[in-house]
Amino acid sequence: MSTAVTASPPIYKRPSSPKLEGDARRIALADYLDHYAKLATTDVSLLNQKLPKSTFASLLDRVGGLLLEEANRMSTDDLAVAVFLKRNPLPECLGSALTPEVRTFCLVLQALSQWTTAEKLAMDRFVFSGRVRAEIRAAACGCPICPDAFEADKLELHHPVRDGRPPIPLSKKGHERIEGIVRPDENDPDGQSLVRHRNEAGSSWVRIRLGCLMELGQIEPDDDQFSKRHVADSRRRIQAARTATNLSAIQILDILDRYDLGQI
């Protein structure tokens, strides 16, 4: 009798492609920004296209199952994890619900979050390579949504479609108009508190998210990704949001993910 062999999951290798360089790169970037400037005058909804989350429900269920399986295995078989858990014992006041399996699953989720952020930033550079975000900011000469609100040193980058194409530069006002009004669930007081703070403070969702990611150590922005002013302002925004809402950075990030706000 033959024994069925279970195939191992494929090993991830980041997709790659030849990069546009030189004159071809400059022409393509200029044409790309012009393309969305024209779309903004005909159908502004095309600047903010998103698939419903249900599209990926089956895939995410499989991913979640794999994460749980690996977390259970690592909690007993991985020496580094076992040593880490032992070195960081739980206070007795937390009870017994946080088992080694659950704690390991949380650690796996954190690693996945860091990995996902890095991969999304890498895919922004799929066609144009490393300095594309800085070059897009430098090439911007107006906001296609709110031309009167254009300030070259206060641009925010927005993805029209999350399919590998790079972001486009918008003014803060234009970005807010594109993203629409956020209405948290009536049973979500934390979400309501954060939205209320953001509306009163005039903060950008992008900068609040970036501040969260930096505070949680999930991203180390460099000059090619974000300007120094952008980074400094993001740090101030998350500090102000935490103070106003009495929420932690991880709680705020959870709200941003829940309502798909401020994607970088």
Side-chain angles (χ1 to χ4, degrees):
M1 180 183 294
S2 62
T3 302
V5 177
T6 303
S8 299
I11 301 300
Y12 175 75
K13 182 178 180 181
R14 180 184 293 164
S16 63
S17 72
K19 309 300 183 186
L20 289 172
E21 301 293 351
D23 289 340
R25 177 189 182 92
R26 287 186 286 273
I27 292 171
L29 274 175
D31 288 348
Y32 182 67
L33 298 184
D34 185 58
H35 170 78
Y36 278 104
K38 291 177 179 176
L39 280 184
T41 66
T42 58
D43 187 354
V44 73
S45 70
L46 294 176
L47 275 69
N48 195 37
Q49 292 290 299
K50 297 175 182 178
L51 278 169
K53 292 182 179 180
S54 59
T55 305
F56 302 102
S58 177
L59 169 63
L60 295 177
D61 279 344
R62 296 200 302 275
V63 171
L66 176 62
L67 296 180
L68 283 169
E69 180 182 326
E70 283 297 297
N72 288 340
R73 181 192 64 79
M74 294 177 72
S75 69
T76 57
D77 298 347
D78 191 296
L79 180 60
V81 171
V83 170
F84 181 85
L85 295 179
K86 186 176 181 179
R87 192 170 64 242
N88 294 276
L90 290 169
E92 291 185 4
C93 60
L94 295 183
S96 59
L98 287 172
T99 63
E101 293 82 5
V102 172
R103 294 175 66 196
T104 304
F105 179 61
C106 293
L107 293 170
V108 169
L109 287 179
Q110 173 72 0
L112 178 66
S113 177
Q114 293 174 328
W115 178 85
T116 302
T117 297
E119 293 306 301
K120 287 196 297 185
L121 289 172
M123 294 310 295
D124 282 354
R125 304 189 291 270
F126 187 77
V127 176
F128 291 106
S129 76
R131 290 190 54 81
V132 63
R133 298 174 74 96
E135 291 177 37
I136 286 173
R137 284 194 177 91
C141 56
C143 173
I145 307 302
C146 297
D148 59 319
F150 175 74
E151 294 182 72
D153 62 342
K154 295 183 180 179
L155 291 175
E156 298 181 357
L157 296 183
H158 166 79
H159 287 80
V161 187
R162 282 277 184 175
D163 63 353
R165 71 189 70 191
I168 58 174
L170 297 176
S171 66
K172 178 178 179 296
K173 184 178 179 181
H175 201 174
E176 291 174 351
R177 184 170 297 177
I178 280 289
E179 291 293 348
I181 299 172
V182 183
R183 294 185 177 89
D185 188 276
E186 60 181 10
N187 296 317
D188 183 6
D190 288 347
Q192 293 175 350
S193 176
L194 181 62
V195 169
R196 184 164 53 251
H197 161 72
R198 181 261 191 180
N199 291 341
E200 292 173 353
S203 297
S204 155
W205 289 124
V206 171
R207 299 204 179 187
I208 291 176
R209 176 178 286 272
L210 179 57
C212 284
L213 294 174
M214 289 190 295
E215 185 162 313
L216 294 169
Q218 295 185 19
I219 187 174
E220 292 293 338
D222 56 40
D223 291 341
D224 289 345
Q225 296 173 344
F226 308 101
S227 69
K228 291 182 179 179
R229 176 177 291 185
H230 196 153
V231 169
D233 186 60
S234 297
R235 294 189 190 280
R236 288 194 294 270
R237 298 293 183 181
I238 185 56
Q239 290 171 1
R242 289 177 59 226
T243 300
T245 63
N246 200 31
L247 297 171
S248 67
I250 193 67
Q251 288 174 306
I252 291 173
L253 185 59
D254 180 64
I255 294 169
L256 298 180
D257 288 341
R258 190 152 65 240
Y259 296 103
D260 196 24
L261 299 171
Q263 293 293 345
I264 296 176

